[in-house]
Amino acid sequence: MTGPFTLPALAFAPESFGAAISPATFEQHHGGHHKAYVDALNQLAAEAGHGQSSLIGIIRAAGPGKLFNNAAQHFNHAFYWASLTPAARAPEGDLAGMIDRSFGSLDALKERLVSAGVGHFASGWVWLVKRGDALEVVDTHDAATPVTEDGVLPLLVLDVWEHAYYLDHKRARKAYLDAVTAGHLNWAFAEQILAAGSVEAVDFGIGRA
Ligand code: MN3
């Protein structure tokens, strides 16, 4: 069925990630998994009387269950596509300064992202977030998302569900995380959110924020 939420187009060519993420993974992950979350969300939101609600409003209002899971997975996946870029440049400006103050260096942050992903049990997400004046790496299980937490601003995310890497790296989650953190994190997106101070102020394809 159609509804207010739509699958955002990828902002890059799926052939442009080398050995890190294959076009086949993007096809399954974006056109398959993410689309299924959007379709289910449209149906469940309408049934729950949320046909006019914003995505983040639904995520924050829904209790545990299918509506939360599909709404949060739409948010998390749109945030993930925006967190990826074919060719990363170094973080700049305020973000670069906060990375150095919070982690010591960009390489130390990348190591934290990889180790958090490797250490995460089963399905979930690894996030770079701002809490207070500092940056942190946090992981969330299943569909859980830091957008529900007061005072926490998500800046980047890595999907560590098996569907994000299994076609390309089999069970070597670390190989996927090493490849993505080495050259494919979209620091420009993190800089935009940091400057805006909210995820609602940046358009990354979730429709009504
Ligand atoms: Mn996924």
Side-chain angles (χ1 to χ4, degrees):
M1 67 178 284
T2 58
F5 299 105
T6 56
L7 183 68
L10 296 175
F12 42 73
E15 301 80 17
S16 53
F17 285 74
I21 306 173
S22 67
T25 289
F26 280 115
E27 183 184 347
Q28 292 297 314
H29 197 178
H30 175 259
H33 291 280
H34 188 177
K35 182 177 187 303
Y37 292 128
V38 172
D39 290 346
L41 169 63
N42 280 324
Q43 180 163 353
L44 292 163
E47 289 170 4
H50 275 301
Q52 302 301 315
S53 301
S54 72
L55 179 63
I56 292 172
I58 291 172
I59 292 169
R60 289 179 173 154
K66 286 183 183 176
L67 178 59
F68 173 85
N69 289 341
N70 286 282
Q73 285 295 75
H74 177 33
F75 177 91
N76 293 348
H77 281 90
F79 208 86
Y80 174 59
W81 311 130
S83 297
L84 296 176
T85 183
R89 58 147 171 85
E92 296 174 354
D94 289 346
L95 179 66
M98 290 191 79
I99 288 171
D100 286 343
R101 286 196 300 280
S102 299
F103 302 101
S105 68
L106 178 61
D107 283 344
L109 165 56
K110 290 178 178 179
E111 287 175 17
R112 288 282 298 278
L113 290 165
V114 171
S115 64
V118 169
H120 181 89
F121 184 75
S123 297
W125 302 85
V126 173
W127 303 82
L128 175 66
V129 303
K130 176 174 177 278
R131 189 194 308 267
D133 293 328
L135 303 183
E136 297 177 8
V137 171
V138 299
D139 55 320
T140 61
H141 283 275
D142 300 326
T145 179
V147 81
T148 57
E149 281 187 65
D150 288 339
V152 175
L153 182 66
L155 298 178
L156 284 180
V157 73
L158 289 162
D159 192 334
V160 295
W161 287 55
E162 283 188 345
H163 63 228
Y165 60 87
Y166 212 87
L167 289 179
D168 304 326
H169 304 283
K170 299 298 186 278
R171 58 192 177 82
R173 185 185 285 179
K174 185 173 187 299
Y176 154 73
L177 292 167
D178 281 340
V180 173
T181 55
H184 299 294
L185 288 178
N186 188 5
W187 302 108
F189 179 60
E191 289 160 11
Q192 268 190 291
I193 295 180
L194 185 64
S198 80
V199 293
E200 287 94 332
V202 176
D203 181 5
F204 56 100
I206 58 172
R208 292 169 306 174

mmCIF file of all heavy atoms in Angstrom, residues 56 60 75 79 98 126-140 144-157 193-194 196-200:
data_model
loop_
_atom_site.group_PDB
_atom_site.id
_atom_site.type_symbol
_atom_site.label_atom_id
_atom_site.label_comp_id
_atom_site.label_asym_id
_atom_site.label_seq_id
_atom_site.Cartn_x
_atom_site.Cartn_y
_atom_site.Cartn_z
ATOM 1 N N ILE A 56 9.502 10.759 13.582
ATOM 2 C CA ILE A 56 10.113 10.788 14.913
ATOM 3 C C ILE A 56 9.022 10.840 15.982
ATOM 4 O O ILE A 56 9.160 10.243 17.054
ATOM 5 C CB ILE A 56 11.115 11.962 15.018
ATOM 6 C CG1 ILE A 56 12.316 11.660 14.102
ATOM 7 C CG2 ILE A 56 11.580 12.180 16.446
ATOM 8 C CD1 ILE A 56 13.295 12.799 13.942
ATOM 9 N N ARG A 60 8.788 8.075 18.971
ATOM 10 C CA ARG A 60 8.801 8.463 20.389
ATOM 11 C C ARG A 60 7.514 8.067 21.092
ATOM 12 O O ARG A 60 7.509 7.834 22.305
ATOM 13 C CB ARG A 60 9.058 9.968 20.513
ATOM 14 C CG ARG A 60 10.498 10.306 20.157
ATOM 15 C CD ARG A 60 10.792 11.799 20.238
ATOM 16 N NE ARG A 60 12.224 12.033 20.038
ATOM 17 C CZ ARG A 60 12.747 13.159 19.574
ATOM 18 N NH1 ARG A 60 11.958 14.179 19.281
ATOM 19 N NH2 ARG A 60 14.049 13.286 19.421
ATOM 20 N N PHE A 75 13.839 5.052 10.125
ATOM 21 C CA PHE A 75 14.745 6.130 10.544
ATOM 22 C C PHE A 75 16.198 5.659 10.491
ATOM 23 O O PHE A 75 17.067 6.318 9.901
ATOM 24 C CB PHE A 75 14.408 6.598 11.966
ATOM 25 C CG PHE A 75 15.346 7.661 12.482
ATOM 26 C CD1 PHE A 75 15.063 9.000 12.302
ATOM 27 C CD2 PHE A 75 16.523 7.316 13.122
ATOM 28 C CE1 PHE A 75 15.937 9.984 12.755
ATOM 29 C CE2 PHE A 75 17.414 8.285 13.564
ATOM 30 C CZ PHE A 75 17.111 9.619 13.380
ATOM 31 N N PHE A 79 19.144 7.031 7.999
ATOM 32 C CA PHE A 79 20.318 7.637 8.635
ATOM 33 C C PHE A 79 21.600 6.921 8.208
ATOM 34 O O PHE A 79 22.649 7.552 8.019
ATOM 35 C CB PHE A 79 20.149 7.578 10.161
ATOM 36 C CG PHE A 79 20.858 8.667 10.908
ATOM 37 C CD1 PHE A 79 20.254 9.894 11.113
ATOM 38 C CD2 PHE A 79 22.129 8.457 11.421
ATOM 39 C CE1 PHE A 79 20.914 10.904 11.810
ATOM 40 C CE2 PHE A 79 22.794 9.456 12.118
ATOM 41 C CZ PHE A 79 22.186 10.676 12.314
ATOM 42 N N MET A 98 35.847 18.193 18.121
ATOM 43 C CA MET A 98 35.167 17.344 19.116
ATOM 44 C C MET A 98 35.687 15.914 19.069
ATOM 45 O O MET A 98 35.765 15.246 20.104
ATOM 46 C CB MET A 98 33.658 17.359 18.884
ATOM 47 C CG MET A 98 33.012 18.684 19.234
ATOM 48 S SD MET A 98 31.204 18.562 19.256
ATOM 49 C CE MET A 98 30.953 17.780 20.863
ATOM 50 N N VAL A 126 25.646 0.648 15.506
ATOM 51 C CA VAL A 126 26.696 1.358 16.224
ATOM 52 C C VAL A 126 26.634 2.823 15.807
ATOM 53 O O VAL A 126 26.665 3.132 14.612
ATOM 54 C CB VAL A 126 28.083 0.769 15.922
ATOM 55 C CG1 VAL A 126 29.177 1.625 16.539
ATOM 56 C CG2 VAL A 126 28.170 -0.667 16.441
ATOM 57 N N TRP A 127 26.543 3.690 16.790
ATOM 58 C CA TRP A 127 26.291 5.108 16.543
ATOM 59 C C TRP A 127 27.422 5.976 17.063
ATOM 60 O O TRP A 127 27.978 5.706 18.133
ATOM 61 C CB TRP A 127 25.020 5.562 17.296
ATOM 62 C CG TRP A 127 23.788 4.806 16.972
ATOM 63 C CD1 TRP A 127 23.406 3.591 17.489
ATOM 64 C CD2 TRP A 127 22.732 5.202 16.082
ATOM 65 N NE1 TRP A 127 22.188 3.223 16.958
ATOM 66 C CE2 TRP A 127 21.752 4.188 16.103
ATOM 67 C CE3 TRP A 127 22.528 6.335 15.281
ATOM 68 C CZ2 TRP A 127 20.582 4.258 15.342
ATOM 69 C CZ3 TRP A 127 21.372 6.406 14.524
ATOM 70 C CH2 TRP A 127 20.411 5.373 14.557
ATOM 71 N N LEU A 128 27.707 7.050 16.328
ATOM 72 C CA LEU A 128 28.440 8.179 16.891
ATOM 73 C C LEU A 128 27.388 9.188 17.311
ATOM 74 O O LEU A 128 26.560 9.603 16.489
ATOM 75 C CB LEU A 128 29.385 8.792 15.849
ATOM 76 C CG LEU A 128 30.107 10.067 16.300
ATOM 77 C CD1 LEU A 128 31.075 9.786 17.441
ATOM 78 C CD2 LEU A 128 30.837 10.719 15.120
ATOM 79 N N VAL A 129 27.393 9.555 18.588
ATOM 80 C CA VAL A 129 26.401 10.507 19.094
ATOM 81 C C VAL A 129 27.107 11.629 19.847
ATOM 82 O O VAL A 129 28.236 11.482 20.316
ATOM 83 C CB VAL A 129 25.368 9.835 20.043
ATOM 84 C CG1 VAL A 129 24.654 8.687 19.341
ATOM 85 C CG2 VAL A 129 26.016 9.377 21.337
ATOM 86 N N LYS A 130 26.385 12.734 19.989
ATOM 87 C CA LYS A 130 26.819 13.827 20.859
ATOM 88 C C LYS A 130 25.940 13.798 22.098
ATOM 89 O O LYS A 130 24.711 13.763 22.004
ATOM 90 C CB LYS A 130 26.663 15.169 20.148
ATOM 91 C CG LYS A 130 26.997 16.386 21.003
ATOM 92 C CD LYS A 130 26.942 17.654 20.145
ATOM 93 C CE LYS A 130 27.187 18.909 20.976
ATOM 94 N NZ LYS A 130 25.965 19.362 21.678
ATOM 95 N N ARG A 131 26.575 13.759 23.252
ATOM 96 C CA ARG A 131 25.842 13.834 24.519
ATOM 97 C C ARG A 131 26.507 14.927 25.339
ATOM 98 O O ARG A 131 27.682 14.822 25.674
ATOM 99 C CB ARG A 131 25.901 12.497 25.264
ATOM 100 C CG ARG A 131 24.981 12.428 26.493
ATOM 101 C CD ARG A 131 25.297 11.245 27.385
ATOM 102 N NE ARG A 131 25.359 9.964 26.700
ATOM 103 C CZ ARG A 131 24.325 9.118 26.576
ATOM 104 N NH1 ARG A 131 23.172 9.406 27.113
ATOM 105 N NH2 ARG A 131 24.492 7.966 25.930
ATOM 106 N N GLY A 132 25.773 15.991 25.654
ATOM 107 C CA GLY A 132 26.396 17.141 26.311
ATOM 108 C C GLY A 132 27.411 17.764 25.366
ATOM 109 O O GLY A 132 27.121 18.007 24.192
ATOM 110 N N ASP A 133 28.618 17.967 25.864
ATOM 111 C CA ASP A 133 29.651 18.587 25.037
ATOM 112 C C ASP A 133 30.615 17.578 24.438
ATOM 113 O O ASP A 133 31.624 17.968 23.854
ATOM 114 C CB ASP A 133 30.455 19.592 25.883
ATOM 115 C CG ASP A 133 29.609 20.779 26.296
ATOM 116 O OD1 ASP A 133 28.705 21.146 25.517
ATOM 117 O OD2 ASP A 133 29.844 21.325 27.384
ATOM 118 N N ALA A 134 30.312 16.297 24.592
ATOM 119 C CA ALA A 134 31.253 15.269 24.146
ATOM 120 C C ALA A 134 30.609 14.333 23.131
ATOM 121 O O ALA A 134 29.388 14.214 23.050
ATOM 122 C CB ALA A 134 31.760 14.465 25.347
ATOM 123 N N LEU A 135 31.455 13.673 22.370
ATOM 124 C CA LEU A 135 30.999 12.634 21.456
ATOM 125 C C LEU A 135 31.195 11.268 22.119
ATOM 126 O O LEU A 135 32.136 11.073 22.871
ATOM 127 C CB LEU A 135 31.795 12.680 20.151
ATOM 128 C CG LEU A 135 31.773 14.000 19.384
ATOM 129 C CD1 LEU A 135 32.550 13.854 18.074
ATOM 130 C CD2 LEU A 135 30.348 14.446 19.102
ATOM 131 N N GLU A 136 30.296 10.337 21.798
ATOM 132 C CA GLU A 136 30.386 8.979 22.331
ATOM 133 C C GLU A 136 30.065 7.991 21.215
ATOM 134 O O GLU A 136 29.344 8.310 20.271
ATOM 135 C CB GLU A 136 29.349 8.755 23.454
ATOM 136 C CG GLU A 136 29.538 9.625 24.671
ATOM 137 C CD GLU A 136 28.445 9.391 25.706
ATOM 138 O OE1 GLU A 136 27.639 8.442 25.537
ATOM 139 O OE2 GLU A 136 28.404 10.157 26.679
ATOM 140 N N VAL A 137 30.576 6.777 21.360
ATOM 141 C CA VAL A 137 30.163 5.650 20.523
ATOM 142 C C VAL A 137 29.247 4.781 21.358
ATOM 143 O O VAL A 137 29.602 4.384 22.475
ATOM 144 C CB VAL A 137 31.386 4.843 20.033
ATOM 145 C CG1 VAL A 137 30.948 3.554 19.348
ATOM 146 C CG2 VAL A 137 32.226 5.689 19.081
ATOM 147 N N VAL A 138 28.048 4.526 20.843
ATOM 148 C CA VAL A 138 27.084 3.675 21.563
ATOM 149 C C VAL A 138 26.530 2.638 20.587
ATOM 150 O O VAL A 138 26.513 2.856 19.373
ATOM 151 C CB VAL A 138 25.915 4.492 22.173
ATOM 152 C CG1 VAL A 138 26.434 5.510 23.179
ATOM 153 C CG2 VAL A 138 25.098 5.179 21.098
ATOM 154 N N ASP A 139 26.091 1.515 21.112
ATOM 155 C CA ASP A 139 25.429 0.525 20.266
ATOM 156 C C ASP A 139 24.006 0.299 20.769
ATOM 157 O O ASP A 139 23.727 0.427 21.963
ATOM 158 C CB ASP A 139 26.214 -0.780 20.166
ATOM 159 C CG ASP A 139 26.531 -1.420 21.501
ATOM 160 O OD1 ASP A 139 26.869 -0.694 22.459
ATOM 161 O OD2 ASP A 139 26.440 -2.652 21.601
ATOM 162 N N THR A 140 23.102 0.001 19.832
ATOM 163 C CA THR A 140 21.705 -0.259 20.173
ATOM 164 C C THR A 140 21.289 -1.594 19.555
ATOM 165 O O THR A 140 21.816 -1.994 18.511
ATOM 166 C CB THR A 140 20.766 0.848 19.653
ATOM 167 O OG1 THR A 140 20.844 0.933 18.227
ATOM 168 C CG2 THR A 140 21.099 2.191 20.274
ATOM 169 N N ALA A 144 16.337 -0.447 18.116
ATOM 170 C CA ALA A 144 16.481 0.660 19.073
ATOM 171 C C ALA A 144 17.331 1.774 18.477
ATOM 172 O O ALA A 144 18.291 1.523 17.748
ATOM 173 C CB ALA A 144 17.095 0.161 20.368
ATOM 174 N N THR A 145 16.965 3.012 18.807
ATOM 175 C CA THR A 145 17.571 4.177 18.169
ATOM 176 C C THR A 145 17.762 5.291 19.194
ATOM 177 O O THR A 145 16.870 5.518 20.025
ATOM 178 C CB THR A 145 16.680 4.664 16.995
ATOM 179 O OG1 THR A 145 17.258 5.809 16.399
ATOM 180 C CG2 THR A 145 15.260 4.958 17.451
ATOM 181 N N PRO A 146 18.897 5.970 19.166
ATOM 182 C CA PRO A 146 19.115 7.038 20.162
ATOM 183 C C PRO A 146 18.236 8.260 19.947
ATOM 184 O O PRO A 146 18.239 9.156 20.792
ATOM 185 C CB PRO A 146 20.601 7.382 19.993
ATOM 186 C CG PRO A 146 20.997 6.853 18.675
ATOM 187 C CD PRO A 146 20.083 5.731 18.342
ATOM 188 N N VAL A 147 17.481 8.300 18.852
ATOM 189 C CA VAL A 147 16.608 9.466 18.653
ATOM 190 C C VAL A 147 15.515 9.512 19.718
ATOM 191 O O VAL A 147 14.867 10.539 19.914
ATOM 192 C CB VAL A 147 16.014 9.464 17.222
ATOM 193 C CG1 VAL A 147 14.818 8.547 17.096
ATOM 194 C CG2 VAL A 147 15.652 10.878 16.793
ATOM 195 N N THR A 148 15.320 8.436 20.458
ATOM 196 C CA THR A 148 14.336 8.424 21.545
ATOM 197 C C THR A 148 14.910 8.996 22.840
ATOM 198 O O THR A 148 14.167 9.206 23.798
ATOM 199 C CB THR A 148 13.876 6.990 21.851
ATOM 200 O OG1 THR A 148 15.017 6.193 22.164
ATOM 201 C CG2 THR A 148 13.139 6.381 20.680
ATOM 202 N N GLU A 149 16.206 9.243 22.902
ATOM 203 C CA GLU A 149 16.841 9.675 24.151
ATOM 204 C C GLU A 149 16.979 11.192 24.204
ATOM 205 O O GLU A 149 17.589 11.789 23.305
ATOM 206 C CB GLU A 149 18.245 9.073 24.270
ATOM 207 C CG GLU A 149 18.278 7.635 24.710
ATOM 208 C CD GLU A 149 19.726 7.199 24.956
ATOM 209 O OE1 GLU A 149 20.354 7.739 25.881
ATOM 210 O OE2 GLU A 149 20.194 6.338 24.190
ATOM 211 N N ASP A 150 16.480 11.797 25.251
ATOM 212 C CA ASP A 150 16.646 13.235 25.431
ATOM 213 C C ASP A 150 18.118 13.577 25.586
ATOM 214 O O ASP A 150 18.858 12.880 26.288
ATOM 215 C CB ASP A 150 15.891 13.702 26.686
ATOM 216 C CG ASP A 150 14.385 13.682 26.467
ATOM 217 O OD1 ASP A 150 13.961 13.715 25.295
ATOM 218 O OD2 ASP A 150 13.658 13.620 27.468
ATOM 219 N N GLY A 151 18.543 14.635 24.948
ATOM 220 C CA GLY A 151 19.903 15.112 25.133
ATOM 221 C C GLY A 151 20.958 14.366 24.347
ATOM 222 O O GLY A 151 22.146 14.606 24.534
ATOM 223 N N VAL A 152 20.512 13.437 23.490
ATOM 224 C CA VAL A 152 21.460 12.675 22.662
ATOM 225 C C VAL A 152 21.202 12.998 21.198
ATOM 226 O O VAL A 152 20.071 12.900 20.721
ATOM 227 C CB VAL A 152 21.312 11.161 22.905
ATOM 228 C CG1 VAL A 152 22.204 10.384 21.954
ATOM 229 C CG2 VAL A 152 21.652 10.830 24.353
ATOM 230 N N LEU A 153 22.249 13.415 20.500
ATOM 231 C CA LEU A 153 22.134 13.776 19.084
ATOM 232 C C LEU A 153 22.910 12.760 18.242
ATOM 233 O O LEU A 153 24.142 12.720 18.301
ATOM 234 C CB LEU A 153 22.703 15.184 18.878
ATOM 235 C CG LEU A 153 22.631 15.751 17.459
ATOM 236 C CD1 LEU A 153 21.187 15.975 17.029
ATOM 237 C CD2 LEU A 153 23.434 17.049 17.372
ATOM 238 N N PRO A 154 22.214 11.928 17.448
ATOM 239 C CA PRO A 154 22.931 10.984 16.578
ATOM 240 C C PRO A 154 23.640 11.732 15.452
ATOM 241 O O PRO A 154 23.080 12.658 14.865
ATOM 242 C CB PRO A 154 21.817 10.099 15.994
ATOM 243 C CG PRO A 154 20.560 10.445 16.738
ATOM 244 C CD PRO A 154 20.753 11.813 17.304
ATOM 245 N N LEU A 155 24.867 11.320 15.149
ATOM 246 C CA LEU A 155 25.647 11.967 14.088
ATOM 247 C C LEU A 155 25.970 11.037 12.925
ATOM 248 O O LEU A 155 26.024 11.477 11.775
ATOM 249 C CB LEU A 155 26.958 12.528 14.664
ATOM 250 C CG LEU A 155 26.813 13.598 15.742
ATOM 251 C CD1 LEU A 155 28.199 14.011 16.243
ATOM 252 C CD2 LEU A 155 26.048 14.816 15.248
ATOM 253 N N LEU A 156 26.232 9.771 13.217
ATOM 254 C CA LEU A 156 26.508 8.769 12.178
ATOM 255 C C LEU A 156 26.052 7.419 12.712
ATOM 256 O O LEU A 156 26.015 7.208 13.924
ATOM 257 C CB LEU A 156 28.005 8.665 11.857
ATOM 258 C CG LEU A 156 28.693 9.729 11.012
ATOM 259 C CD1 LEU A 156 30.176 9.356 10.851
ATOM 260 C CD2 LEU A 156 28.049 9.903 9.652
ATOM 261 N N VAL A 157 25.788 6.486 11.800
ATOM 262 C CA VAL A 157 25.439 5.133 12.257
ATOM 263 C C VAL A 157 26.007 4.079 11.309
ATOM 264 O O VAL A 157 26.170 4.319 10.109
ATOM 265 C CB VAL A 157 23.906 4.954 12.386
ATOM 266 C CG1 VAL A 157 23.212 4.859 11.036
ATOM 267 C CG2 VAL A 157 23.584 3.720 13.240
ATOM 268 N N ILE A 193 24.525 17.771 10.856
ATOM 269 C CA ILE A 193 23.653 17.567 12.012
ATOM 270 C C ILE A 193 24.206 18.280 13.234
ATOM 271 O O ILE A 193 23.473 18.913 13.996
ATOM 272 C CB ILE A 193 23.465 16.071 12.282
ATOM 273 C CG1 ILE A 193 22.716 15.443 11.111
ATOM 274 C CG2 ILE A 193 22.694 15.850 13.591
ATOM 275 C CD1 ILE A 193 22.478 13.981 11.258
ATOM 276 N N LEU A 194 25.509 18.192 13.407
ATOM 277 C CA LEU A 194 26.132 18.878 14.543
ATOM 278 C C LEU A 194 25.856 20.385 14.468
ATOM 279 O O LEU A 194 25.498 21.005 15.473
ATOM 280 C CB LEU A 194 27.639 18.603 14.539
ATOM 281 C CG LEU A 194 28.436 19.133 15.725
ATOM 282 C CD1 LEU A 194 28.003 18.448 17.019
ATOM 283 C CD2 LEU A 194 29.934 18.911 15.496
ATOM 284 N N ALA A 196 23.382 21.866 12.874
ATOM 285 C CA ALA A 196 21.947 22.135 13.010
ATOM 286 C C ALA A 196 21.469 21.904 14.438
ATOM 287 O O ALA A 196 20.485 22.519 14.874
ATOM 288 C CB ALA A 196 21.164 21.249 12.047
ATOM 289 N N GLY A 197 22.113 20.997 15.138
ATOM 290 C CA GLY A 197 21.721 20.703 16.515
ATOM 291 C C GLY A 197 20.530 19.787 16.638
ATOM 292 O O GLY A 197 20.078 19.507 17.752
ATOM 293 N N SER A 198 19.986 19.284 15.523
ATOM 294 C CA SER A 198 18.869 18.338 15.587
ATOM 295 C C SER A 198 18.807 17.541 14.298
ATOM 296 O O SER A 198 19.207 18.036 13.234
ATOM 297 C CB SER A 198 17.532 19.055 15.811
ATOM 298 O OG SER A 198 17.040 19.594 14.596
ATOM 299 N N VAL A 199 18.310 16.314 14.402
ATOM 300 C CA VAL A 199 18.168 15.511 13.188
ATOM 301 C C VAL A 199 16.991 15.992 12.341
ATOM 302 O O VAL A 199 16.981 15.819 11.122
ATOM 303 C CB VAL A 199 17.995 14.004 13.512
ATOM 304 C CG1 VAL A 199 19.265 13.440 14.114
ATOM 305 C CG2 VAL A 199 16.810 13.745 14.412
ATOM 306 N N GLU A 200 16.012 16.622 12.983
ATOM 307 C CA GLU A 200 14.840 17.108 12.236
ATOM 308 C C GLU A 200 15.207 18.214 11.253
ATOM 309 O O GLU A 200 14.514 18.417 10.248
ATOM 310 C CB GLU A 200 13.767 17.651 13.194
ATOM 311 C CG GLU A 200 13.016 16.588 13.988
ATOM 312 C CD GLU A 200 13.625 16.337 15.354
ATOM 313 O OE1 GLU A 200 14.849 16.547 15.516
ATOM 314 O OE2 GLU A 200 12.890 15.894 16.245
#
